Amino acid sequence: MDTDDVLQCDQLLAAGLQDLVLLRDSAAYVDREASYWATNAALHPECIVQPRSTADVSRVVKILAKSSGLAALRSGGHTQWTGSNDISNGVTIDLGRMKNVTYNAQTKLASVQPGPRWGDVYETLLGYGVCVVGGRDGNVGIGGYLTGGGNSYYTGRYGWGIDNVANFEVVLADGSIVNANPKSHSDLFKALKGGSGNFGIVTRFDLYTFPAKDVWGGIRAAARDQGDALAQAMVDFTNTNNKNPEAAFIINYTFNPGSSSDILVAHVVIDTDGVVNAPAFAKVQQIPVILNDVKNRSMANMANSYLLPGDEQQVWFSLSFKNDVRVIKKAGLLHDELVEELKTVIPSGSFSTQCLFQPVPTFFTERSLQRGGNVLGLDNEKQNALMWLITGATKTVEHQAIMREKLTTFYNDLNAYATSLGLGVAWQHLNYADQTQDPLKSYGAKNIAFIRKVAATYDPSQVFQKKVVSGWKISKVGA
């Protein structure tokens, strides 16, 4: 325990914020720490402060900015790496009680605070007959997803999640409240579109909407011996996705003993226009499966039907590659080897893995540019690409250490293989990256310089670099 950390909590209490502060000996504190999606993300701060309004956030920031202790920032609490959204000792600013979701029929904008989950957002907006570009897992939070980019089933039609923000309400390091949009604080607006938590605390996202309609989609699962056919289907889909931007596709070599004792190749197919047996998946549907849960449903139902199980130790790594079937097949083989190795060192039923590929065709960037662009750096990539994600879940800290060692080897081996074939792509998806990676660096020199400039402009005292220490920091890029 650090006296600076205790002092911060005392200062919050002395300022009359007792109703917002959870102390370590309270049941509410214990429950809140237990609510992190990944158990390794919870770090047990000296206290948690839960603002209920933008004004509360402003008061909290003013107090903590002047204190000598450290702080962390939490939105939904779904980011998986240790240090992403909590702090050991210190104070965690937890936005989970700021859950308002409203819709303005005149502006056709949905205003979403950072506290709800995407499943809640979809359900609420469905009542107004509209939808937004958001997370695919209904349990994912708002703030980290959007400021990290936010891939979506709608990316092909409307761009990344962050491209669909019309305005950010932001509390800056001095406690002032600004609105960042194309006409006001436009530099901050641009930097927040992928620049993560380097500038302030976003307390409201005003999102473009579109008419809600049922999608046709769901999960299919094939036996492992169909992996090569699905790998080729992914490459073909990525190369033609611009012709059917309403469609999205994911393939996933997965081992989950709770569902099957064998490795399966699960895959998500979705047509966001709701076209049954969508032509984009004609070849995919010819591949035999052992599970087919594809049907017409609302986006709320789609997002809430496939929630990644929580309450486990998580390790994730992510890379991107040129759209080439050899990389997918190699990853599938490495995943086969990984599972067999893990079976020898972690008890049966105590781990699961996923090895996913998703399309990142160049026309996604065209969609982004139509909304003013972002700082993700994908405009630097001139060829269709694939986003890769490997995940490993375990029950214990000891087994997580084993998983981390194995996945690090997997990551290095696949990266080396792709590089040897000239198939590497620099860009890394911030929302999926491990803490040992450097996704902001992958945005490219121009965007790094811009993010640094904007951070220095709006946070000259570096509160969100040196005091609010959770998450991805531009000051650490290349360090």
Side-chain angles (χ1 to χ4, degrees), residues 324-373:
D324 191 295
V325 73
R326 290 173 291 178
V327 177
I328 305 178
K329 290 181 178 180
K330 179 65 173 180
L333 293 174
L334 288 173
H335 181 258
D336 294 343
E337 296 172 6
L338 169 72
V339 171
E340 292 308 309
E341 290 178 8
L342 288 172
K343 286 179 178 178
T344 68
V345 289
I346 299 179
S348 175
S350 296
F351 75 91
S352 61
T353 60
Q354 297 186 95
C355 176
L356 298 93
F357 283 90
Q358 305 173 51
V360 188
T362 55
F363 87 95
F364 280 10
T365 298
E366 296 171 16
R367 295 289 185 266
S368 298
L369 292 174
Q370 290 168 3
R371 288 276 168 84

Side-chain angles (χ1 to χ4, degrees), residues 28 35 68-69 120 165 193 268-269 280 282 291 365 392 432 457 479:
S35 69
S68 55
D120 304 322
V165 179
K193 297 171 77 172
V268 176
V269 299
L291 169 71
T365 298
Y432 289 169
T457 298

